[in-house]
Amino acid sequence: MSKWTGNKLRIETYGTSHSDKIGIVIEGMPRMKINRALLNNMLLRRSGASGLGTTPRKEADEVEFIHGVKDDEIISSSLEAVIFNKNVRSSDYNELYARPRPSHADYAWYLKEGQLDFSGGGRFSGRLTAVFTVAGALAMSYLNQKGIQIRAYVSSLGGIRGYTYKNKSEIRLSDLPLELSEQQRDKLLKTIEDKDSVGAVVECVTFNFPSGYGNDYFEGLESELSSLLYAIPGVKGVEFGLGFDISSLCGSVANDQLYYSKNGKVETKTNHAGGINGGISNGMPITISVAFRPTPSIFKKQNTIDLQTKTNTEIQIKGRHDSCIAIRAVPVVESAVALALLDVML
């Protein structure tokens, strides 16, 4: 089990990649009508239905609410949802017993709990992001009712950037791409041909989030967002606005200068801070970049160790794995952002 406790929300996930089911308990979610179409769409995108570069393992991901929901309406402050695993193939991992996959959680899992059976990655598997997405879709339903829109996309794959813009203050929802660019697809195809994997960056933009939410230091909006984003398997970096690039600028360039727009609203000429100052939302679009590592499970031969015989050995991983985990992680990033923003609003 893994738990997260926010200001008002609390979530707890359970199950493993190859158990009969995975589930999530959510406490503090406001009572509302669930947008079932939104929920199904986010789960479909997370499942890898787009095909290229995603796992051949296909699950229906049909959500069953155990309690707290009736007729697609949240009726309790506590609810539980499960998704049954129906396409499990543990035999793919028989040759990996006691042989941890390089850069995977396998060896760390062994160090913590003495685990030698690494089938499916267990509770460290990205499979658990399915129920995390359920929670995110519920949060998204509430935020959408308030006019808040969250959209993520793969901004860079293998170092190849797709959609670009000159000024983060000028981003429009309609401009954000729904698919990879042609150059990114070519890079992904070459990676698949080489039996390898590739990393990517997912950018997430939140539109119409009101100003004044968040706090200083430990309760800052960036802190809350980061804690949930880093819970996603494979995330190795989180940046707000210009992120690390802002460190190379002078203050005269980095500063977002204030002005009154034609409708009397306070805005900034640029949005280098990514919509957050001092841990508090300033009313501009909240822009976040999330770096994903290449999938550790690749089909090339790799060096590892045998924890039973205490010898060096080689492995060649079989099974069904993503060539780029960031593609399916797009709605998971949206889910993390939605949950964090809902939590500070409640």
Side-chain angles (χ1 to χ4, degrees), residues 11 32 50 92 115 122 138 142 147 160 185 239 263 296 329:
I11 58 178
M32 61 177 171
S50 57
D92 288 338
Q115 178 64 244
L138 299 184
Y142 181 89
I160 299 174
R185 289 178 63 87
E239 295 183 342
N263 59 10

Side-chain angles (χ1 to χ4, degrees), residues 255-275:
N255 292 347
D256 297 315
Q257 299 183 44
L258 298 160
Y259 74 100
Y260 283 106
S261 65
K262 292 180 179 179
N263 59 10
K265 180 182 177 182
V266 176
E267 297 185 3
T268 57
K269 293 183 179 296
T270 54
N271 191 22
H272 297 152

